[in-house]
Amino acid sequence: MARLILFNKPYGVLSQFTDKGMADSKRATLSDHIDLPGVYPAGRLDRDSEGLLLLTDDGKLQERIASPRFKTEKIYLVQVERIPDDAAIEALCRGVTLKDGPTRPARVSRIAPPDLWERDPPVRFRKSVPDCWLSITISEGRNRQVRRMTAHVGHPTLRLVRWRIGAWSLDGLAPGTWRDAPPETLGTPVKNRGR
C-alpha cells in the first residue's frame, strides 16, 4: 500500500532532501526533518512559504496530487499588505492574467487572523501599512502562483501558509513535524470540481 506523509514545512526549508549544487550550503532541507527512505514530495512549496507538504513513495499517487490536470484543490492562508477591496477580491475570484497566462478562477475571502505558530523570522511589521488575511483556494499550482496573484491586484504577500491539499490538512501538526496520512484517505486524494 502507498505511504503518504503529511509534513508541516517551516519557513526557510527547501522542498527537497538535498541542496543540489551547494556543497557548503547551510540551507535547511527536508532531510533535516524527515528520515524516511523512498518518499518524495508530491508538489513543491517555496522556501519562503510554510505549511502542508505531502510526500509519498507511490509515483501514481504523487502524480494524482501534483498534476494540474487532476485539479487538486489547495487552500492557502495568506497575509497581504493593505486591505483588499471588493474589486481586488473579485479579480482574484475570476482569475487574473499573469505572465504565463490566465489563472483558473479561485475562491477568495477575507478572514480573521488565524491562530498560527510564530514565524521565524517574524513577518515585518509597519505601523503605517495595515495588513489583512485571506483564504485562497486554487486548483492549479504554478510557480509562486498565489504570491503573483496577490501582487497582481496590488497586495503583496507577507506570509503564506498552505493549510490543505485535497483531503489532507495541517490540523494538529506542528511546524517541522510529520505524520502518516490515514489509510482511508489514500483512495480519494483529490476533489475534482466540475467533472
Side-chain angles (χ1 to χ4, degrees), residues 12 36 43 77 125 178:
L36 294 173
L77 306 180
F125 174 75
W178 61 270

Side-chain angles (χ1 to χ4, degrees), residues 1-6 39-40 42 53-58 61-62 65 168 178-182 185-186 189:
M1 175 174 255
R3 186 171 193 184
L4 184 69
I5 302 299
L6 283 64
V39 295
Y40 301 94
L53 183 66
L54 300 177
L55 299 96
T56 183
D57 60 359
D58 183 284
L61 179 58
Q62 184 180 31
I65 294 167
W168 303 287
W178 61 270
R179 68 172 174 254
D180 282 286
T185 66
L186 297 181

Side-chain angles (χ1 to χ4, degrees), residues 100-116:
D100 55 352
T103 64
R104 291 180 185 154
R107 289 197 311 275
V108 182
S109 59
R110 291 179 207 90
I111 60 172
D115 185 20
L116 296 173

